[in-house]
Amino acid sequence: MRKMFATLLALALAALGSSATSAAEDPPTRPPTVLVTGANRGIGLEFTRQYVESGWKVIATARDPTNATELQQLAFQHANLVVEKLDLADNAAIATLAQKYRGQPIDVLLNNAGYLGEPDKQSLGKTFDYPMFEQIMRVNAYAPLVMSQAFLDNVLAGDQKKIIALTSGIGSVTLAARFGGLVFYRMSKASLDLGMRALQADVRSRGIKVGLLVPGEVETQMLRDSGYSGRGKPPDEAARALIRVIDGLNDQDAKLLSLDGTIVPF
Ligand SMILES: NC(=O)c1ccc[n+]([C@@H]2O[C@H](COP(=O)([O-])OP(=O)(O)OC[C@H]3O[C@@H](n4cnc5c(N)ncnc54)[C@H](OP(=O)(O)O)[C@@H]3O)[C@@H](O)[C@H]2O)c1
């Protein structure tokens, strides 16, 4: 009996020893990390859900986390999801968040948040609202650049090194003259596209890939606010297709890529 016990103990110790050795030889791999802005609803919430369920670490930012019920529920269920408060119109808040994550790799910086504004305040024949123009430009065009700068070292430290922005086909300069309306929003996305393409030139030599994604019409609050609701695809479907495009992103010039990866003219 004593002999059998000693044999079992020896076997257990040997197993422990061998697992300690292999752990020393193969350090645990780090799950990839994505930072998603505007994660409390719409496509951003779906990006968050799908990345979290795939085992990524997700830093999900929202202007008002206390009222982001679905996002909070998701965070309650998944330890790999962290929710952070962030208003993209607040440069100091962006700097503070970047400071908090200093030294931590971020594989994908996903500039998803966007602001449409009120259609009637950005159309010829109606009103042009300057404060709204400023807010649209700030959130859609300026904030992704500030975020890219603030988190550049994090992206450089990541394995995938991707900076992504959600843009819109109605911001395409080539297609612009075909229809009117939503002028501020469309100007902001055209500015975003140019800014991100210029950024690509700045960071290409450092191995960063920049992606401009065109989701098409997606049934979110934004589409409802635009007046075109009823013909968009569900947000989960859009996010799934966009994640595939992000996965396959190469280091070519930042082009406007639709859900199936085809190029939308800039
Ligand atoms: N849905 C479409 O058909 C469509 C088409 C083309 C492109 N897009 C683009 O896809 C992206 C996601 O849009 P969506 O359809 O999911 O829109 P959405 O449902 O309206 O969500 C927009 C998100 O952006 C956030 N946001 C707005 N202003 C912000 C600020 N100052 N600071 C931080 N977050 C802010 C919102 O937060 P709050 O809840 O706090 O406002 C919300 O989380 C946007 O960039 C949009 O332009 C959408």
Side-chain angles (χ1 to χ4, degrees), residues 198-222:
L199 183 89
Q200 166 86 90
D202 286 329
V203 297
R204 186 186 287 114
S205 64
R206 301 169 82 180
I208 295 181
K209 306 175 185 80
V210 176
L212 284 160
L213 305 186
V214 180
E217 289 173 334
V218 184
E219 285 301 331
T220 64
Q221 188 58 48
M222 184 175 284

Side-chain angles (χ1 to χ4, degrees), residues 38 40-41 43 63 87-88 112-114 167 185 189 215-216 218 220:
N40 55 304
R41 61 181 160 104
I43 307 172
R63 257 199 300 201
D87 182 343
L88 290 161
N112 161 79
T167 185
Y185 176 77
K189 291 297 189 183
V218 184
T220 64

